[in-house]
Amino acid sequence: MTMDESLFPALMGPAWATLAAPVRHAHGGRDNVALRGRADVVGVDHWAARQLRRLLGLPAPGPAQPLVVEIVRDDSGEYWTRRFAGGVMSSRLSAGPGQLLHERLGPVSLRFFLEPDGDAILWQLRGARLFGLPLPLRWLGHVLARSGSDGDRYAFTVEASLPGIGRWIGYRGTLEIDDGT
C-alpha cells in the first residue's frame, strides 16, 4: 500500500471504480471517517453464541440499535471501532499476502478476499486463526459480509453461523457519514 492509496482501493484494484459512492466514501481515502446509523441485530440464544458475542464486543440481538463506526487510518491499515447500543467491537484491518484483507478481532484473525458484487463489496472468508493457530475452514461455518449502498447511505450485512450453534450473530443496517454537524 503506497502513501496515496488506501487499503480497500489497493486490494480491489480496478474494480474499486465500479463501487457505489457511499462504499467508496466509507472505505476509501486517507482521512479518518465516522458513520452513524442503526442496525438490526439477530442471533441464537445459545450460551456459546452469547459468550462469543461478549468476547468480540457484539451486542445481544435487538432491532434498530444505534451504531457508530469510527475508522482510523494509518500507513499500515485501518482501526475500526463499532459502537453498538450494547457493545464495542474493535478490529484492525490490514493488507495481507495474496491480496487478502486481514481483520484481527482480539484473539481471532480473519482473512477475506474482497470481490465486487454489482456496486457493492462481497467479503469472502478465506481463512482464520485463533491465537495464531490456523483453523480448518469447515470449523468456521458460514460467513456473509457485504458492503453496499441504500440510496446515498452506506448499507451493510454481516452474518455468521457455526456448526452446532447456528447463526450466532447477524446484523444489517445503514449508516450515514458523520460530518460533525
Side-chain angles (χ1 to χ4, degrees), residues 29-111:
R30 300 295 297 171
D31 295 330
N32 300 336
V33 66
L35 304 109
R36 294 184 185 279
R38 297 200 171 273
D40 294 320
V41 182
V42 297
V44 297
D45 188 30
H46 184 284
W47 71 270
R50 290 191 307 270
Q51 296 306 314
L52 194 51
R53 287 191 294 262
R54 186 173 298 127
L55 173 71
L56 297 177
L58 287 161
Q65 296 188 33
L67 172 61
V68 175
V69 178
E70 297 165 336
I71 303 170
V72 176
R73 297 182 168 106
D74 60 29
D75 290 340
S76 61
E78 301 177 354
Y79 184 77
W80 287 34
T81 304
R82 301 157 190 90
R83 298 180 194 285
F84 290 90
V88 177
M89 177 182 169
S90 296
S91 64
R92 175 75 179 160
L93 284 73
S94 60
Q99 290 295 103
L100 295 181
L101 175 74
H102 289 208
E103 182 171 20
R104 182 162 192 89
L105 301 122
V108 177
S109 179
L110 305 170
R111 288 164 175 73

